[in-house]
Amino acid sequence: MYVPIKKQLSKDELIIEFGLAVDWVESLKDYPEKDFFEPTVKGKWSVSEIIAHLAYWDSYVLEEILPRIKQDADIKSIEFQKLNDQASEYALSGVSEVSLIDEFINGRKELVAKLNNKSDAEFFVQFKINGEEIDPYAGSPFSIYSYISSFIWHDHHHKNQIVEFFNSKYAQDYQVK
C-alpha cells in the first residue's frame, strides 16, 4: 500500500526525490558481485533482480506511459507480473552487476530529464490507466505527480529490502544507508 509523502512536495522537489535512487544504486557497486545475485531472503528476488525490476519499470514509464499522457487519456498498462518476470529473467541472464547498475542509472537519469522537461500543467494532467481514474496507491486521480509519488514509495520499499540484506551480511563491516 502506498504511504504518501508526509509533506506535499513541489514538482521540482518530487523529481529530485525520485532521482535520489541513482546515488544509492551506484553505491551498490561497493559490494561483492557474488552477493548481488544472491536472494535477499530465501525464495525472494536477488539484489540484481530488484535493480532490473526498477530499471524495467523506469523504461516502461519512459517509453510507454509518459508519451501517452494527455488530459483524460486512457492508457492500457502492461500486466505487472509480465514486466516483473522479464526483469527477473534479464537479471539472471548473465548481465554483470556493473552493467545492470549502469543501465538503471542511465535509465533513471533519462526519465528524470524527461520529467524535468514537463510543464507544471503537464505534470498535473489527469489520465486513466486501464479505465481507472484513481491511482489505488496514491488514492488520488492519476497524474504524473501521483504516478511518480508511487514510484518513490516503490523505490524506498526495495531499497529497504536491499539495505536489510546487506546489513545482515555485513553488520560489523559497514552499513548501507
Side-chain angles (χ1 to χ4, degrees):
M1 185 64 166
Y2 173 71
V3 178
I5 296 170
K6 291 180 183 176
K7 172 184 166 263
Q8 181 74 20
L9 300 177
S10 70
K11 170 191 152 203
D12 293 337
E13 291 169 329
L14 186 81
I15 295 170
I16 289 168
E17 178 74 20
F18 185 61
L20 292 177
V22 167
D23 291 336
W24 73 262
V25 171
E26 175 80 30
S27 76
L28 297 176
K29 290 180 180 177
D30 295 339
Y31 294 88
E33 186 166 21
K34 68 176 181 58
D35 294 337
F36 197 68
F37 297 95
E38 180 182 326
T40 55
V41 175
K42 187 176 178 168
K44 297 289 185 179
W45 279 347
S46 64
V47 174
S48 66
E49 289 169 291
I50 293 170
I51 299 307
H53 165 75
L54 296 174
Y56 268 57
W57 274 103
D58 281 1
S59 177
Y60 179 74
V61 169
L62 185 64
E63 296 170 12
E64 301 295 331
I65 300 294
L66 277 184
R68 291 177 170 81
I69 293 176
K70 295 183 180 24
Q71 185 67 41
D72 299 321
D74 191 354
I75 301 168
K76 182 165 175 42
S77 178
I78 192 170
E79 292 179 35
F80 289 9
Q81 194 58 49
K82 181 179 179 181
L83 191 66
N84 293 345
D85 290 346
Q86 291 170 354
S88 176
E89 185 177 315
Y90 177 66
L92 302 176
S93 71
V95 64
S96 73
E97 170 190 25
V98 171
S99 293
L100 189 54
I101 289 171
D102 288 344
E103 287 173 30
F104 168 81
I105 290 169
N106 292 334
R108 180 58 63 98
K109 285 181 176 180
E110 184 178 357
L111 182 51
V112 164
K114 290 279 187 190
L115 293 171
N116 275 319
N117 287 332
K118 296 285 184 189
S119 68
D120 287 351
E122 291 172 306
F123 214 75
F124 292 96
V125 159
Q126 294 181 7
F127 58 95
K128 300 174 195 161
I129 294 186
N130 298 330
E132 297 295 323
E133 294 180 12
I134 303 297
D135 182 337
Y137 299 104
S140 59
F142 279 108
S143 66
I144 294 174
Y145 187 93
S146 72
Y147 204 64
I148 297 303
S149 294
S150 296
F151 277 97
I152 290 170
W153 176 88
H154 184 245
D155 286 350
H156 285 274
H157 167 72
H158 288 303
K159 178 183 178 182
N160 288 338
Q161 291 174 319
I162 292 169
V163 166
E164 287 177 21
F165 170 69
F166 281 122
N167 284 347
S168 71
K169 288 186 79 70
Y170 300 106
Q172 299 306 312
D173 298 329
Y174 41 41
Q175 294 287 305
V176 181
K177 295 179 182 160

